[in-house]
Amino acid sequence: MAIIVNLDVMMAKRKMSLSELSNEVGITMANLSILKNNKAKAVRFSTLDAICRVLDCQPSDLLEFEK
Amino acid sequence: MTKNILLNLGIIICKILYFSYAVIFAAFLVFFVHHQVKPSAYANIDVAIVTGTSQMFFARTKTYKDQIGDKVLEDSEVFVLNKLKKSSLYFNFVKFSLLVFLMFLVVREFQKIIESVKEVRTFQKRNIKSFRKIGRYLLGIFALVSYSSYIFEEGGTSSFCISLELLIFVLIAFIMSEIFEEGSKLWENSKLTI
């Protein structure tokens, strides 16, 4: 897929671990791993909203289009 | 869905069918052995009814009887079980055994599908395979049912018939596998939606 999720980059910038993010966002570690490893087929707006809120970033910081 | 009555009923029916097939096969095995040990026990059993193909979509039956001089033998003299040739008996035994085995496999696959629905794992890949297997088994049953042959000492009968109902079931099984494949893709997509 041409859309890349830069969740690991943002997590590193905010110095946040996967388990911390999981606790704060309310998404299971398994699902966050799927997202982090670019295995996800789709992302709900509610999920994006929660992650952006916790990581204090914009959706564009998390998603990138690669040709 | 653990308390779904319909699914539980389906599983019970499948189990009853397993038992029925085992009993039918055992009965046929007993007949097969007994017929060879004591064929005279079947002297009065007329098997002309076996060739009945009225329910078939297309049927072609060929019957022949030996003549003794000008006298044509009666059906009741020719088509009796004790005069069934050994080769025909073996052929029909193998055919019937395969038929029962294939029906058993169809029921087994169907039970697997019902159990997966009960466990809310309806659109798993195994069910797609199960429906394809059912389709193939039904095709096998169709092939076995299509041709029948009974050769007696003084005559014989062979028939070729096409059972439209079976073909429709084959088609339904393959269509169901396609539907489940589509469902499986949707389920996988929804599983990977975060």
Side-chain angles (χ1 to χ4, degrees), chain B residues 27-28 50 55 62 67 70 83 98 102 108 150 152 164:
Chain B
F28 198 68
V50 170
Q55 292 172 332
K62 204 175 166 186
Q67 276 184 311
D70 288 340
K83 289 183 178 175
L98 274 172
L102 285 174
R108 196 185 65 169
Y150 300 91
F152 298 88
L164 199 62

Side-chain angles (χ1 to χ4, degrees), chain B residues 125-163:
Chain B
K125 289 228 160 60
R126 205 183 72 181
N127 283 351
I128 304 166
K129 282 184 190 165
S130 285
F131 271 116
R132 285 201 183 128
K133 276 185 189 172
I134 289 174
R136 277 187 227 123
Y137 296 150
L138 286 174
L139 261 182
I141 291 172
F142 169 77
L144 287 172
V145 165
S146 295
Y147 180 73
S148 65
S149 168
Y150 300 91
I151 301 164
F152 298 88
E153 284 165 12
E154 290 143 346
T157 175
S158 64
S159 65
F160 176 77
C161 47
I162 291 173
S163 164

Side-chain angles (χ1 to χ4, degrees), chain B residues 58-116:
Chain B
F58 168 82
R60 186 162 231 160
T61 308
K62 204 175 166 186
T63 308
Y64 67 95
K65 284 185 279 184
D66 287 352
Q67 276 184 311
I68 299 172
D70 288 340
K71 191 196 165 202
V72 178
L73 293 166
E74 291 286 320
D75 278 4
S76 56
E77 289 175 287
V78 179
F79 303 120
V80 277
L81 263 183
N82 66 322
K83 289 183 178 175
L84 190 67
K85 279 193 174 175
K86 281 262 163 74
S87 57
S88 185
L89 180 72
Y90 290 147
F91 170 76
N92 281 298
F93 176 71
V94 170
K95 181 188 152 181
F96 190 80
S97 304
L98 274 172
L99 207 61
V100 172
F101 182 62
L102 285 174
M103 290 198 300
F104 173 83
L105 291 177
V106 167
V107 174
R108 196 185 65 169
E109 290 303 323
F110 194 62
Q111 191 188 344
K112 277 185 196 171
I113 293 168
I114 296 174
E115 276 169 357
S116 75

Side-chain angles (χ1 to χ4, degrees), chain B residues 25-73:
Chain B
F25 181 71
F28 198 68
L29 192 65
V30 168
F31 159 74
F32 177 69
V33 174
H34 191 248
H35 187 277
Q36 291 180 83
V37 175
K38 200 180 173 188
S40 58
Y42 302 93
N44 297 320
I45 300 174
D46 191 339
V47 288
I49 46 155
V50 170
T51 57
T53 52
S54 58
Q55 292 172 332
M56 302 297 176
F57 170 66
F58 168 82
R60 186 162 231 160
T61 308
K62 204 175 166 186
T63 308
Y64 67 95
K65 284 185 279 184
D66 287 352
Q67 276 184 311
I68 299 172
D70 288 340
K71 191 196 165 202
V72 178
L73 293 166

Side-chain angles (χ1 to χ4, degrees), chain A residues 31 40-44 47, chain B residues 188-194:
Chain A
N31 278 345
K41 297 256 182 188
V43 186
R44 287 191 193 93
T47 308
Chain B
E188 213 154 86
N189 277 350
S190 81
K191 205 175 80 174
L192 290 173
T193 297
I194 313 296

Side-chain angles (χ1 to χ4, degrees), chain A:
Chain A
M1 193 181 273
I3 301 289
I4 293 168
V5 181
N6 289 321
L7 186 64
D8 45 354
V9 177
M10 283 312 294
M11 277 164 58
K13 277 184 185 169
R14 302 287 184 264
K15 294 189 174 78
M16 197 178 260
S17 70
L18 201 67
S19 59
E20 279 176 301
L21 186 66
S22 168
N23 284 336
E24 290 200 38
V25 174
I27 297 172
T28 61
M29 292 254 287
N31 278 345
L32 276 181
S33 279
I34 291 170
L35 200 60
K36 193 168 77 97
N37 297 322
N38 286 300
K39 293 269 183 343
K41 297 256 182 188
V43 186
R44 287 191 193 93
F45 278 159
S46 57
T47 308
L48 206 54
D49 177 89
I51 293 171
C52 287
R53 204 180 293 273
V54 171
L55 292 177
D56 189 27
C57 63
Q58 292 298 312
S60 60
D61 297 326
L62 292 170
L63 304 173
E64 186 189 330
F65 175 68
E66 197 178 63
K67 278 187 185 172

